[in-house]
Amino acid sequence: MAMVLDSFVERCAASLEDFAGQESCAVLGVGDDVRCLLATLRRVQAVVSHEERRGRVLTGKVDAWVAQVKDAMYDADDALDVSMVEAGKLLADQEDGGGPPTPKAPRCSLMFSCFKPSPAPKFRHEIGFRFREIDARLREIEAEMPGIPVPESSSSSSSRRRELFSRSICDKCSDAIRPHAVGTQVQRSLDGLVPRMIREGKKKVDVFAIVGGVGIGKTTLAREIYNDERMTETFPICVWVKMSKDLSDLEFLKKIIIGAGANVGEIETKEELLGLLGSALSKRFLIVLDDLDNPGIWDDLLKDPLGDGVARGRILITTRNEQVATGMKAIVHRVDKMDAENGWALLCRQVLPECSSEELVALKDIGIKIAKRCDGHPLAIKMIAGVLRSRGKSKAEWELVLKSDVWSMRPFIQELPQALYFSYVDLPSELKECFLHCSLYPADCPMQRFHLVRHWIAEGLVNDGDDKMLEDSAEEYYAELISRNLLQPDADNLDQCWITHDLLRSLACFLITDESILISGQQRLSMGPLSSLSKPRHLTLCNMESRLEDPISVKQQMSLRSLMLFNSPNVRAIDNLVESASCLRVLDLSKTALDALPKSIGNLLHLRYLNLDETQVRDIPSSIGFLINLQTLSLKNCQRLQRLPWTIRALLQLRCLSLTGTSLSYVPKGVGDLKHLNYLAGLIVGRDNSGPDDCDLNDLQTLSELRHLHIENLDRATSGTFALANKPFLKDLHLCEQAPLIEEQNTDRENQEDQKETEEEEKEAHDLTNSQSCREESIKASEKIWNELTPPQSIEKLVIKNYRGGKFPNWMTGPKLSMSFPSLVYLDIDNCMSCTALPALGLLNQLQSLQISNADSLITIGSEFLSTATSSSATTLFPKLEVLKLRNMKKLEEWSLAVEENQILLPCLKSLHIQFCPKLKALPKGLKNVVLRELYIEGAYSLTEIKDLPRISDELHLKDSRALQRISSLPALQSLTIDNCPKLKHVSGLDTLQHLRLVFPPSTETFYFDELIIFWSIAFPRWLEQLIHKRNGLRRFELQCSLPLLKSCLDGGKNWSIVQQIPEVRITSPDGKRYIRYNKRRCIYETNAQSED
């Protein structure tokens, strides 16, 4: 039930009411029919709303009338779509007045000549009959529906709850995307299990099992063990495998081998993979098998290859069935339920992380009672925490949660904690629909936020807010579901998420069983309940082969509203499905081998969302212009796409157009007609041979709703005066020119044996003069266009790329920069090769991230970078900047951060990156007073010294600093990495250093260190010996070096006396095949290197 009936009926009623008052309804002459249908629907809505307020989950599985009402709503929704299109044709004909066609007439006829070119009277009769037929069906259903008592006035309560929840989200969304602390019982289990697992045993491979019921915290504990620093130190190879019934033996073995860092290549047999498994696990390993229900996997696949392998390791499984653990002869750890106090502690961390002690005391009694309701299940507590977060700190609201009837309702699914059901029931209707829609994605496929919110919009699940765009409302829905703990952001990519737990997915799948079908691989209609589903609304296909034959019957396809393909890179054609599924709203064919869209794509009148990202399409058929309801067209990274049809300008409802990463040479004129666009990426301006049909900057003037704009090929623009005017909502702006061609210079002429003829030299000089003249003209033209572009003050992210001008645009210079960009948070300046000075970016008060790359003409960064003028009053330069990156500055020699006494510099800076600035001689002295967590320097070939940085704390990473000789006076530094700095001779003043990592190049020992006099013996550089002797606080030492130096560190070797002083040591050869691992406290010494010379 991806559509929640209460919300669906309400939306349909609102759409009918809106349609009844429009000219479209009048021109069709169906006003009376629509109003009769609306009156019936209002009565049905009253019953549905009453049942929803009673806490019932209205699904077709509960009452037959629910399914019938939903079918009627779907038909009404389709009828409204068709009516609007046909009415649009009639109104367009009336505007033409039967006279000669106007310039706009061809496009109007394109837009409104849809499926049936039937005469107007015939269609009026057909659509009127359709509305009357739906009305009659609803009247019949009405007789079967339950009675309704006197209407309850609960709308204020619902509104209040939603308003309260929205305020809470604004405060807590940033916290919701970070993993919260685990309970104290998990911590105690962690402290007990980890020492046992890292302790050496008699067996080569020990198996540990975490056993417990569903939702009890098995995976949470396993994840804590997997991420524990003690485990990662002990086991260099760590692999996590999520088990499932669909995981084949081959895929299982591949996951482990690839996770261990090996390559499976083209291997497709079990025998070869088993042979590779032992060699892939060449170091101590930890393999986690999460949610294992088959003990045979140990005997059949793992026992022999791991027993015969070269390394020792641990297997950790989580399972609900203790017999699985027994069958694997595992050391069992049982996860117990939380007691009330621990449950309350976890609830506090989830709901009230910043609550005062007085507030905690006031809520403790009721909080403990709620925790008891969760029966000691951590997952249940986490779910109910999402509910309580929406109620704030009101004890009365918490009392309502405790006394709710939902706790006593019969669960749909065995083992489903009632709190999970509560977390769903408590959602506003529109959020219920969005959450259920998430279960249409396969369990192993993450949901991309960008596309997920647009799926919701295409399905009509997002309500219009007051002065708020649909996309903004959808983003709020997304944040609310995260705060409710129903969705969990990916730890490695916050722009994608998963359903938090398999139980939640099971609940969602149960509730949409009557509407959706998921087919994986070779599954067919006869293999499940698919044949009994007469009107599926959603079809998800994954792991499909190249030929996509009809996965469901043609009759079933006719009712589909969404079709999504996943993990199907070989699918090349979908013609049959497109021809049959005429009611589609969502069509996602991304990452398939599709090379062409069928012309019949234009028949999908209802289509709102079309995703062709990373497909092989070369051309878009002109029939796409018939998709007048299309809202999202995504063609990102369609590298073979070379042409867009001119009919794309007929997509007047388009809100999102993504063209980045294509091979388009131009975009047809008319983009300016798409006035609802709020996301436009990869817009190509003009073309090499400019023509009247090219899109120019002037086309952007009318696009006042833009939030994201990415323009390419600005160098082909003729004028930009009004392009960015009237853009009050624009937040994300990318401005790019074509990268200039690198002209080959004859710098090595003296090395050529043959001398050039005089006439050839004269021709060269003439060509060079012309080249310089063209370059000067290009610079002037670029500066003219960019000066005419004036970004609005609403900009939060700005990317400037391949700017050819000699000085930055006027709107980036001058003392009023902070007024021009009062909201700018992120700035990326890349490949501005002719600019010789930077703007006064220190004036940007809200800037948090600044990256400057490939500024080839920049020799000096001086005070102009900070401010344009001195001031007698105290000022802060870069007041909020957290990340600063300078990259690929080929000519940069000097960098100054000198400030006045009354100026504060970079008070929030956390990370500074300096990469590939080969001529930079020294770090700016102004860094001495900057509190800095991380400093990363790479490719600074002229840098000889790093000193006097008393406030750098966390990490200094140095790589390929060939001239570096001295590091000194870094008293707060805790971690230092030195990678290929061959001339380094002096390191001192590192009073708090705890972690040292060195990477020696192969030639270091014999060519660079003056201290190494005897070449046939190996020794550490003197500064390293002194540092280790003086720094008793050094806790960890990592070294990558040549094999001879590694062998000198073996027990009994020349350098063993130095190594054994350090609590923890890891030494590896450059290829990673030889290693030494030493832990003094745990008495661990391991090596696979030979000690003999």
Side-chain angles (χ1 to χ4, degrees):
M1 188 192 59
M3 289 297 185
V4 174
L5 191 57
D6 180 28
S7 182
F8 194 14
V9 171
E10 183 178 351
R11 282 199 308 273
C12 280
S15 298
L16 280 170
E17 187 172 10
D18 181 55
F19 178 65
Q22 290 183 12
E23 187 179 2
S24 299
C25 184
V27 77
L28 291 174
V30 293
D32 291 340
D33 298 324
V34 171
R35 282 184 284 273
C36 287
L37 173 58
L38 181 60
T40 305
L41 189 55
R42 289 298 187 193
R43 295 194 300 272
V44 170
Q45 183 183 6
V47 178
V48 171
S49 298
H50 171 68
E51 294 295 298
E52 184 74 19
R53 285 194 298 272
R54 287 174 55 199
R56 298 191 63 198
V57 178
L58 299 180
T59 71
K61 288 181 171 293
V62 178
D63 292 298
W65 65 265
V66 173
Q68 294 171 0
V69 171
K70 281 196 300 181
D71 284 345
M73 293 302 95
Y74 283 124
D75 291 344
D77 199 24
D78 292 342
L80 278 172
D81 259 6
V82 176
S83 298
M84 293 297 293
V85 172
E86 293 295 336
K89 288 197 297 183
L90 292 174
L91 291 172
D93 290 341
Q94 290 180 5
E95 289 177 6
D96 292 343
T102 64
K104 290 187 177 181
R107 200 176 81 228
C108 290
S109 62
L110 168 66
M111 288 172 53
F112 296 115
S113 58
C114 295
F115 307 109
K116 299 178 181 179
S118 54
K122 181 180 179 181
F123 177 78
R124 290 190 180 105
H125 174 75
E126 289 177 351
I127 198 63
F129 175 79
R130 196 166 174 181
F131 283 127
R132 290 192 297 273
E133 187 268 337
I134 297 172
D135 184 30
R137 284 162 53 194
L138 283 176
R139 289 173 185 270
E140 292 180 6
I141 299 169
E142 193 178 3
E144 302 175 11
M145 296 171 69
I148 182 171
V150 177
E152 303 171 9
S153 57
S154 60
S155 59
S156 61
S157 173
S158 174
S159 175
R160 179 178 59 82
R161 187 182 73 176
R162 176 59 191 272
E163 181 184 352
L164 177 65
F165 184 65
S166 295
R167 285 203 307 269
S168 173
I169 285 303
C170 293
D171 296 333
K172 299 297 181 182
C173 184
S174 59
D175 295 333
I177 63 175
R178 301 185 182 96
H180 286 78
V182 297
T184 55
Q185 288 180 235
V186 172
Q187 190 62 50
R188 286 199 300 269
S189 298
L190 182 70
D191 293 337
L193 274 172
V194 169
R196 295 177 67 188
M197 295 184 70
I198 62 178
R199 191 181 305 132
E200 287 297 329
K202 296 180 180 179
K203 295 181 179 179
K204 194 171 188 179
V205 179
D206 282 320
V207 181
F208 290 78
I210 301 174
V211 180
V214 64
I216 202 68
K218 302 183 299 297
T219 299
T220 299
L221 176 56
R223 182 64 69 180
E224 291 296 316
I225 293 172
Y226 183 81
N227 292 327
D228 189 275
E229 185 177 356
R230 293 167 292 179
M231 298 296 290
T232 56
E233 290 172 359
T234 305
F235 301 103
I237 296 176
C238 295
V239 182
W240 184 287
V241 181
K242 173 65 176 176
M243 306 302 294
S244 68
K245 295 179 180 179
D246 298 330
L247 189 64
S248 67
D249 289 350
L250 292 181
E251 289 300 318
F252 171 73
L253 292 171
K254 286 181 179 180
K255 282 181 178 289
I256 296 179
I257 293 169
I258 293 172
N263 184 8
V264 298
E266 301 296 325
I267 297 177
E268 289 295 337
T269 66
K270 184 189 296 187
E271 290 72 21
E272 290 178 296
L273 290 172
L274 288 172
L276 183 58
L277 181 61
S279 59
L281 299 173
S282 59
K283 304 176 185 178
R284 286 174 63 93
F285 59 85
L286 168 67
I287 300 174
V288 180
L289 307 180
D290 185 30
D291 201 17
L292 180 67
D293 61 2
N294 175 22
I297 203 167
W298 169 250
D299 290 326
D300 298 342
L301 298 177
L302 297 179
K303 185 177 180 179
D304 291 339
L306 297 188
D308 296 338
V310 297
R312 305 175 71 89
R314 301 288 183 269
I315 305 291
L316 175 63
I317 69 169
T318 69
T319 181
R320 305 178 194 179
N321 186 353
E322 191 162 343
Q323 292 181 354
V324 173
T326 304
M328 296 178 67
K329 298 180 181 180
I331 301 169
V332 175
H333 175 86
R334 295 173 184 84
V335 180
D336 298 323
K337 294 181 179 181
M338 283 185 165
D339 57 36
E341 284 292 336
N342 279 300
W344 163 241
L346 179 58
L347 195 65
C348 286
R349 282 192 288 272
Q350 288 279 327
V351 185
L352 307 166
E354 300 174 358
C355 197
S356 66
S357 57
E358 294 81 4
E359 290 172 319
L360 287 176
V361 170
L363 292 171
K364 183 173 182 179
D365 290 343
I366 186 68
I368 289 179
K369 292 178 181 178
I370 292 174
K372 287 181 178 178
R373 287 274 197 180
C374 296
D375 196 28
H377 284 76
L379 177 63
I381 292 174
K382 186 176 181 180
M383 291 301 105
I384 210 65
V387 175
L388 293 174
R389 201 175 294 148
S390 70
R391 309 301 175 95
K393 302 172 185 178
S394 168
K395 187 174 182 179
E397 291 287 343
W398 284 41
E399 288 276 4
L400 291 175
V401 171
L402 178 65
K403 296 177 181 179
S404 172
D405 294 338
V406 179
W407 294 107
S408 59
M409 295 181 68
R410 182 175 60 85
F412 290 133
I413 302 173
Q414 189 178 8
E415 295 187 323
L416 181 73
Q418 206 66 13
L420 272 67
Y421 177 62
F422 199 134
S423 66
Y424 170 78
V425 171
D426 190 68
L427 288 172
S429 294
E430 57 268 38
L431 288 188
K432 288 178 182 175
E433 293 178 308
C434 292
F435 172 66
L436 294 179
H437 186 88
C438 294
S439 67
L440 301 177
Y441 289 74
D444 59 345
C445 293
M447 293 171 283
Q448 303 293 329
R449 179 174 66 173
F450 177 86
H451 289 290
L452 180 62
V453 297
R454 285 164 177 80
H455 281 188
W456 292 343
I457 293 171
E459 292 275 11
L461 309 182
V462 181
N463 294 332
D464 289 320
D466 296 333
D467 300 324
K468 191 179 295 183
M469 284 184 52
L470 287 171
E471 287 77 8
D472 294 337
S473 296
E475 291 282 354
E476 288 185 3
Y477 290 8
Y478 182 85
E480 290 193 12
L481 289 174
I482 288 175
S483 183
R484 290 273 188 163
N485 293 329
L486 295 170
L487 297 182
Q488 177 65 50
D490 192 308
D492 298 323
N493 183 358
L494 296 181
D495 285 327
Q496 64 185 28
C497 68
W498 312 79
I499 293 180
T500 300
H501 195 274
D502 290 341
L503 277 178
L504 284 170
R505 171 174 289 279
S506 297
L507 173 62
C509 290
F510 173 84
L511 294 174
I512 64 168
T513 303
D514 60 326
E515 289 195 1
S516 65
I517 296 175
L518 190 152
I519 300 178
S520 179
Q522 301 303 312
Q523 181 183 357
R524 286 294 178 262
L525 187 62
S526 59
M527 295 180 63
L530 306 182
S531 57
S532 63
L533 198 57
S534 60
K535 290 187 177 181
R537 307 295 177 176
H538 308 281
L539 176 61
T540 300
L541 304 174
C542 55
N543 304 315
M544 305 304 288
E545 300 300 329
S546 57
R547 290 194 63 186
L548 190 61
E549 298 178 359
D550 291 340
I552 58 177
S553 69
V554 173
K555 183 178 179 181
Q556 287 177 308
Q557 294 173 27
M558 293 173 64
S559 61
L560 287 177
R561 292 170 68 94
S562 75
L563 171 60
M564 298 189 289
L565 270 70
F566 296 94
N567 297 333
S568 303
N570 298 319
V571 170
R572 297 184 177 277
I574 47 115
D575 298 38
N576 293 341
L577 272 173
V578 168
E579 291 176 2
S580 304
S582 59
C583 293
L584 280 177
R585 261 77 172 167
V586 171
L587 181 56
D588 190 340
L589 305 172
S590 58
K591 299 182 181 179
T592 63
L594 187 74
D595 56 7
L597 279 176
K599 293 182 179 179
S600 58
I601 191 75
N603 295 335
L604 301 182
L605 168 68
H606 307 282
L607 194 65
R608 264 82 169 166
Y609 176 94
L610 178 57
N611 184 0
L612 301 173
D613 289 352
E614 298 182 43
T615 58
Q616 306 299 315
V617 291
R618 299 174 181 270
D619 194 9
I620 303 295
S622 59
S623 59
I624 198 170
F626 291 95
L627 305 179
I628 65 170
N629 285 309
L630 194 65
Q631 298 171 337
T632 297
L633 176 58
S634 191
L635 301 167
K636 185 177 180 180
N637 294 330
C638 292
Q639 298 180 359
R640 298 187 179 184
L641 182 63
Q642 299 178 351
R643 189 187 73 87
L644 286 179
W646 68 270
T647 53
I648 199 168
R649 60 184 176 179
L651 306 177
L652 298 185
Q653 297 301 316
L654 203 63
R655 307 174 66 87
C656 171
L657 177 59
S658 180
L659 304 172
T660 53
T662 67
S663 297
L664 293 172
S665 58
Y666 75 100
V667 173
K669 200 171 187 65
V671 170
D673 294 335
L674 311 180
K675 293 181 173 56
H676 293 293
L677 273 179
N678 58 70
Y679 185 97
L680 178 55
L683 177 68
I684 298 173
V685 175
R687 58 174 159 177
D688 293 332
N689 298 318
S690 297
D693 295 330
D694 308 331
C695 180
D696 201 355
L697 288 179
N698 293 330
D699 287 275
L700 301 177
Q701 294 181 26
T702 57
L703 302 182
S704 60
E705 296 185 10
L706 280 174
R707 261 69 169 174
H708 175 103
L709 176 60
H710 178 174
I711 306 175
E712 297 183 2
N713 297 87
L714 266 172
D715 50 293
R716 301 195 304 202
T718 56
S719 173
T721 305
F722 302 107
L724 300 181
N726 190 30
K727 304 285 186 296
F729 309 112
L730 189 60
K731 295 181 179 180
D732 194 344
L733 178 62
H734 294 229
L735 300 175
C736 309
E737 295 190 44
Q738 278 185 309
L741 296 175
I742 300 176
E743 298 179 1
E744 296 183 359
Q745 303 296 329
N746 296 320
T747 55
D748 298 326
R749 186 178 305 166
E750 65 275 12
N751 296 328
Q752 297 178 0
E753 297 180 359
D754 299 329
Q755 296 294 324
K756 300 290 184 182
E757 297 292 337
T758 303
E759 55 203 39
E760 290 179 347
E761 293 179 353
E762 291 177 354
K763 182 177 183 298
E764 254 184 39
H766 182 265
D767 291 343
L768 182 60
T769 302
N770 288 340
S771 175
Q772 291 175 343
S773 176
C774 291
R775 185 171 180 273
E776 291 174 359
E777 291 178 5
S778 175
I779 289 174
K780 291 180 181 179
S782 181
E783 290 177 353
K784 173 182 178 296
I785 293 296
W786 286 69
N787 282 329
E788 292 175 354
L789 292 171
T790 304
Q793 293 184 337
S794 56
I795 293 294
E796 296 178 2
K797 178 179 180 180
L798 176 62
V799 176
I800 296 173
K801 188 172 183 179
N802 301 332
Y803 173 58
R804 302 185 185 187
K807 56 184 179 180
F808 282 94
N810 296 335
W811 40 266
M812 284 197 69
T813 58
K816 297 183 179 181
L817 186 62
S818 60
M819 298 175 62
S820 299
F821 296 98
S823 305
L824 190 63
V825 173
Y826 177 96
L827 176 59
D828 185 353
I829 300 174
D830 183 18
N831 204 29
C832 298
M833 301 180 68
S834 299
C835 293
T836 57
L838 294 174
L841 302 178
L843 299 174
L844 294 170
N845 293 328
Q846 302 299 320
L847 192 65
Q848 296 179 18
S849 177
L850 172 61
Q851 178 169 303
I852 304 173
S853 309
N854 300 299
D856 286 358
S857 297
L858 198 63
I859 299 174
T860 302
I861 300 178
S863 59
E864 76 286 346
F865 178 54
L866 304 177
S867 177
T868 55
T870 59
S871 173
S872 58
S873 59
T875 57
T876 302
L877 304 172
F878 291 111
K880 293 188 177 180
L881 191 68
E882 297 180 359
V883 178
L884 174 58
K885 297 181 180 180
L886 303 179
R887 292 177 171 170
N888 299 322
M889 307 285 204
K890 295 180 180 179
K891 297 182 180 179
L892 181 64
E893 298 179 5
E894 297 182 8
W895 178 19
S896 171
L897 287 175
V899 295
E900 305 290 336
E901 290 185 1
N902 62 343
Q903 292 179 322
I904 301 173
L905 178 65
L906 295 165
C908 297
L909 191 65
K910 296 178 181 178
S911 178
L912 172 60
H913 287 230
I914 302 171
Q915 294 176 272
F916 306 109
C917 300
K919 295 187 177 182
L920 184 64
K921 300 174 182 177
L923 296 179
K925 294 181 179 179
L927 282 178
K928 181 176 182 179
N929 299 317
V930 175
V931 178
L932 188 62
R933 291 185 185 176
E934 175 192 58
L935 175 58
Y936 186 98
I937 300 175
E938 179 180 3
Y941 303 145
S942 302
L943 193 64
T944 60
E945 187 175 25
I946 296 176
K947 65 177 182 177
D948 297 334
L949 296 175
R951 308 184 76 177
I952 179 173
S953 58
D954 290 3
E955 182 178 6
L956 171 60
H957 191 118
L958 304 170
K959 184 175 182 180
D960 296 333
S961 295
R962 300 172 184 173
L964 186 67
Q965 299 183 31
R966 176 181 290 265
I967 301 173
S968 61
S969 301
L970 309 178
L973 185 67
Q974 297 184 28
S975 177
L976 172 63
T977 298
I978 301 173
D979 184 347
N980 190 18
C981 300
K983 293 188 176 181
L984 184 64
K985 297 181 180 180
H986 180 86
V987 179
S988 64
L990 278 62
D991 300 335
T992 60
L993 189 68
Q994 296 184 21
H995 179 197
L996 176 63
R997 180 174 181 268
L998 300 181
V999 179
F1000 286 168
S1003 59
T1004 294
E1005 294 84 2
T1006 55
F1007 291 102
Y1008 289 104
F1009 284 112
D1010 296 335
E1011 295 89 340
L1012 300 182
I1013 300 173
I1014 306 175
F1015 295 118
W1016 59 83
S1017 67
I1018 299 299
F1020 284 145
R1022 189 170 302 160
W1023 64 263
L1024 178 57
E1025 294 186 27
Q1026 294 173 348
L1027 179 67
I1028 293 175
H1029 285 305
K1030 292 180 180 179
R1031 275 300 305 131
N1032 293 327
L1034 189 66
R1035 309 306 303 166
R1036 184 174 182 178
F1037 176 49
E1038 296 180 53
L1039 173 65
Q1040 180 180 311
C1041 62
S1042 65
L1043 189 58
L1045 183 55
L1046 182 147
K1047 289 182 177 181
S1048 74
C1049 298
L1050 291 168
D1051 188 358
K1054 173 177 286 191
N1055 292 317
W1056 173 245
S1057 60
I1058 300 174
V1059 169
Q1060 66 177 346
Q1061 300 178 46
I1062 308 170
E1064 183 186 346
V1065 178
R1066 283 188 182 183
I1067 305 176
T1068 60
S1069 58
D1071 59 8
K1073 294 181 178 179
R1074 297 289 183 266
Y1075 65 89
I1076 299 173
R1077 297 186 64 256
Y1078 170 69
N1079 190 296
K1080 188 175 183 179
R1081 183 172 62 86
R1082 298 176 194 151
C1083 299
I1084 295 176
Y1085 175 83
E1086 293 181 348
T1087 181
N1088 64 355
Q1090 300 299 320
S1091 60
E1092 59 267 49
D1093 295 333

